Amino acid sequence: MSFSNKRVIANQCLLVALVLYIISAALIGTYPALGYLKAFAEAAIVGGIADWFAVTALFKHPLGLKIPHTAIIPNSKAKIGKNLSHFIRENFLSEKYVKENLRKIDLHEKGAVLLRANQTSLTNKVNDTIFKYINDIQYKDVEKFIFPLIKTKIDGFDVNVALVKFFEMIDNKNYHHTAFIAILEQLNIWLSNTENETMVNDQIKELIRKDEDGKQTFTGLLKSMFIGEPKLHKYLTDFIEHIKTDPDKKVIERVDNFFGDIIEKMRTDQKVRDSIIDFKNQIIASIPLEYHVETLFHEIKKWLINDFHKVDSFIKKKINDSIDAMITEIETSKTIKRWVKRQIEGRVPAFIAENAELIDNYFVQYLENLDTKQMSSLIEDKVGEDLQYIRINGTVIGGFIGVVLYTATEIISVISRHIIG
């Protein structure tokens, strides 16, 4: 039943009491027993009007008369706000009360249930946010730190250490043996071409004819004539076969020693180390690094955007899996549960205590911002129905009290007459 219906009932009760009073007052001379009804009606009218006045005085001036201490609620907004906020803060937001109630609530479990129930929405939101960020970001937005970062990493890259580790790995796995033989075999294939072999022979003879200063000598000319046409292809074929079948592995041992010397020089010889670094810097200087970094950025961005539009998007799947794993971890991890419990119990009560003044001001300002009609309507809407019950109860109970008092008066009158008589 609505608030307005309760008010109608309260008014009807008062009206009934008034009608009963008129009837009983008019007929009491003929029917003396109606005195009880008259007493009931009189007291009911007094009780009903008194409670109507009390209830009405809370919200407005009864009958428009500005009687002192009426329209209490509209005239006491600030006071009500302060008292209400103080009551809530002292009783419901006290650190002790908050802690006790937080211990009763498994906020970790509720949070996990909430996350699981909204997993799809959360995942879509994360996907949309990441896609928007990727789509909107431009190279100029990251250029000022991404290029210097890459440049710093390249400049700080110790190529000597990398080469030493690379050559040590080759040495440990004997890859240099295979490489050495493979190079000889490729050279031998090249020399198997007669023109190539003749060209090499001619170069050898030319070198023999000259001394250290590059001038031809008679002795050198004689040596070149006696050399004839060396069969380099055959010699190299025999040499390769010898390496493969030599039980003493003397050639391989020399290769090992040579390779070991290279590693040792790269590790200890500063001149070798410096020359390697110079070579690295020359290579880097010859490369348009900034152009390649920007190109790489655009290629990565293009790949990411295209992947997001795919039905079987790799990135979306990873995001979905990550969120699912995160929620599962929150649901099952005792460590996270203990951490959440400590954080909530440790921070929430203290936060409320620290902001008690703000909470007070919130209630006060909220009520002050309401005009008198809004405030009265707000309170009447919440408690008006119960206040109308007060009027109904006042009318009915007042009537019964009137009957009790009338009966008591009659009894005392009879006893008095009896004693006096």
Side-chain angles (χ1 to χ4, degrees), residues 10-51:
N11 291 335
Q12 289 174 344
C13 288
L14 187 58
L15 181 61
V16 168
L18 179 61
V19 170
L20 291 176
Y21 174 74
I22 294 172
I23 294 173
S24 60
L27 300 177
I28 193 171
T30 306
Y31 302 100
L34 291 177
Y36 290 96
L37 181 61
K38 181 173 177 291
F40 174 88
E42 286 176 341
I45 292 171
V46 172
I49 292 175
D51 286 338

Side-chain angles (χ1 to χ4, degrees), residues 70-81:
T70 58
I72 295 171
I73 291 175
N75 293 330
S76 306
K77 288 194 297 181
K79 186 177 180 180
I80 292 172

Side-chain angles (χ1 to χ4, degrees), residues 56-115:
T56 303
L58 288 172
F59 305 100
K60 62 185 75 173
H61 298 294
L63 301 177
L65 302 175
K66 294 187 178 181
I67 303 170
H69 305 295
T70 58
I72 295 171
I73 291 175
N75 293 330
S76 306
K77 288 194 297 181
K79 186 177 180 180
I80 292 172
K82 289 179 181 179
N83 290 336
L84 179 61
S85 64
H86 180 75
F87 174 78
I88 292 174
R89 185 181 68 183
E90 293 298 321
N91 292 277
F92 300 111
L93 298 180
S94 66
E95 191 167 345
K96 179 181 178 182
Y97 182 84
V98 173
K99 280 185 177 179
E100 289 177 353
N101 282 273
L102 285 175
R103 292 190 187 101
K104 298 175 184 177
I105 304 172
D106 192 344
L107 292 176
H108 167 268
E109 182 180 348
K110 292 183 179 297
V113 170
L114 182 64
L115 285 173

Side-chain angles (χ1 to χ4, degrees), residues 86-245:
H86 180 75
F87 174 78
I88 292 174
R89 185 181 68 183
E90 293 298 321
N91 292 277
F92 300 111
L93 298 180
S94 66
E95 191 167 345
K96 179 181 178 182
Y97 182 84
V98 173
K99 280 185 177 179
E100 289 177 353
N101 282 273
L102 285 175
R103 292 190 187 101
K104 298 175 184 177
I105 304 172
D106 192 344
L107 292 176
H108 167 268
E109 182 180 348
K110 292 183 179 297
V113 170
L114 182 64
L115 285 173
R116 182 61 74 185
N118 293 275
Q119 180 178 346
T120 302
S121 175
L122 176 62
T123 302
N124 292 337
K125 192 68 176 176
V126 172
N127 283 327
D128 292 343
T129 302
I130 293 176
F131 175 76
K132 184 178 184 306
Y133 177 78
I134 292 173
N135 194 51
D136 291 346
I137 193 171
Q138 302 297 323
Y139 180 70
K140 63 181 180 180
D141 300 326
V142 297
E143 177 185 12
K144 58 186 177 183
F145 67 86
I146 192 172
F147 177 73
L149 177 63
I150 293 175
K151 185 72 166 57
T152 300
K153 291 295 183 182
I154 292 175
D155 291 342
F157 176 66
D158 194 336
V159 67
N160 284 296
V161 173
L163 282 175
V164 167
K165 289 183 177 179
F166 176 71
F167 278 101
E168 285 178 343
M169 182 270 292
I170 291 176
D171 186 41
N172 292 334
K173 295 184 178 295
N174 292 325
Y175 289 157
H176 57 302
H177 297 166
T178 305
F180 175 66
I181 295 173
I183 291 171
L184 292 178
E185 287 178 340
Q186 289 301 314
L187 177 60
N188 196 29
I189 292 171
W190 185 77
L191 288 174
S192 65
N193 184 299
T194 305
E195 292 182 1
N196 293 336
E197 187 175 39
T198 301
M199 181 182 65
V200 173
N201 285 335
D202 290 343
Q203 290 295 322
I204 293 173
K205 291 177 183 179
E206 184 67 25
L207 291 173
I208 292 174
R209 294 190 191 104
K210 297 177 181 180
D211 59 13
E212 294 179 356
D213 296 328
K215 297 179 180 180
Q216 287 192 3
T217 64
F218 180 73
T219 306
L221 184 60
L222 290 175
K223 287 181 179 179
S224 67
M225 291 174 62
F226 282 107
I227 286 179
E229 296 293 333
K231 300 297 182 180
L232 296 177
H233 172 56
K234 182 178 184 305
Y235 295 154
L236 192 52
T237 301
D238 294 341
F239 180 65
I240 294 172
E241 187 63 27
H242 171 72
I243 293 173
K244 292 180 177 180
T245 58

Side-chain angles (χ1 to χ4, degrees), residues 1-12:
M1 189 176 293
S2 66
F3 162 62
S4 59
N5 290 337
K6 291 292 189 303
R7 177 181 289 173
V8 170
I9 293 175
N11 291 335
Q12 289 174 344

Side-chain angles (χ1 to χ4, degrees), residues 186-420:
Q186 289 301 314
L187 177 60
N188 196 29
I189 292 171
W190 185 77
L191 288 174
S192 65
N193 184 299
T194 305
E195 292 182 1
N196 293 336
E197 187 175 39
T198 301
M199 181 182 65
V200 173
N201 285 335
D202 290 343
Q203 290 295 322
I204 293 173
K205 291 177 183 179
E206 184 67 25
L207 291 173
I208 292 174
R209 294 190 191 104
K210 297 177 181 180
D211 59 13
E212 294 179 356
D213 296 328
K215 297 179 180 180
Q216 287 192 3
T217 64
F218 180 73
T219 306
L221 184 60
L222 290 175
K223 287 181 179 179
S224 67
M225 291 174 62
F226 282 107
I227 286 179
E229 296 293 333
K231 300 297 182 180
L232 296 177
H233 172 56
K234 182 178 184 305
Y235 295 154
L236 192 52
T237 301
D238 294 341
F239 180 65
I240 294 172
E241 187 63 27
H242 171 72
I243 293 173
K244 292 180 177 180
T245 58
D246 181 16
D248 295 331
K249 303 292 183 183
K250 290 182 179 180
V251 177
I252 293 299
E253 185 179 342
R254 289 188 179 185
V255 173
D256 287 340
N257 293 336
F258 174 76
F259 204 74
D261 289 341
I262 293 176
I263 295 174
E264 187 62 25
K265 284 184 178 181
M266 286 193 299
R267 187 186 291 116
T268 60
D269 192 324
Q270 191 59 44
K271 289 184 179 181
V272 174
R273 295 170 63 85
D274 291 342
S275 64
I276 293 174
I277 293 174
D278 290 340
F279 181 66
K280 182 198 82 169
N281 292 336
Q282 289 174 17
I283 293 176
I284 293 174
S286 66
I287 298 173
L289 186 60
E290 189 167 1
Y291 168 78
H292 288 298
V293 170
E294 183 176 359
T295 302
L296 178 63
F297 169 83
H298 289 301
E299 288 297 324
I300 293 174
K301 178 180 176 179
K302 181 180 178 181
W303 179 86
L304 292 172
I305 291 175
N306 289 338
D307 182 79
F308 261 102
H309 286 104
K310 292 180 180 178
V311 176
D312 57 342
S313 170
F314 172 80
I315 300 174
K316 284 185 178 181
K317 184 178 184 306
K318 287 298 179 183
I319 293 173
N320 298 349
D321 292 345
S322 297
I323 292 177
D324 183 71
M326 178 192 71
I327 296 175
T328 301
E329 182 68 14
I330 292 173
E331 289 173 332
T332 59
S333 174
K334 293 182 179 179
T335 302
I336 293 178
K337 183 175 183 178
R338 287 194 296 268
W339 181 84
V340 170
K341 187 177 180 65
R342 284 198 305 268
Q343 295 300 312
I344 292 175
E345 292 182 2
R347 295 177 183 272
V348 173
F351 175 80
I352 292 175
E354 291 171 1
N355 293 276
E357 187 175 348
L358 293 175
I359 297 172
D360 282 350
N361 292 335
Y362 170 78
F363 284 105
V364 174
Q365 290 176 4
Y366 178 77
L367 292 178
E368 285 182 348
N369 290 333
L370 294 175
D371 60 31
T372 53
K373 289 184 178 180
Q374 283 180 314
M375 186 170 182
S376 297
S377 299
L378 179 64
I379 296 177
E380 275 191 304
D381 183 59
K382 300 301 179 184
V383 299
E385 187 173 317
D386 292 324
L387 293 177
Q388 295 308 312
Y389 273 118
I390 292 177
R391 289 182 57 197
I392 295 170
N393 292 338
T395 302
V396 175
I397 294 174
F400 282 113
I401 292 175
V403 171
V404 171
L405 291 176
Y406 181 82
T407 302
T409 301
E410 288 295 310
I411 292 173
I412 292 172
S413 177
V414 171
I415 292 174
S416 296
R417 286 197 300 270
H418 178 73
I419 293 174
I420 294 172

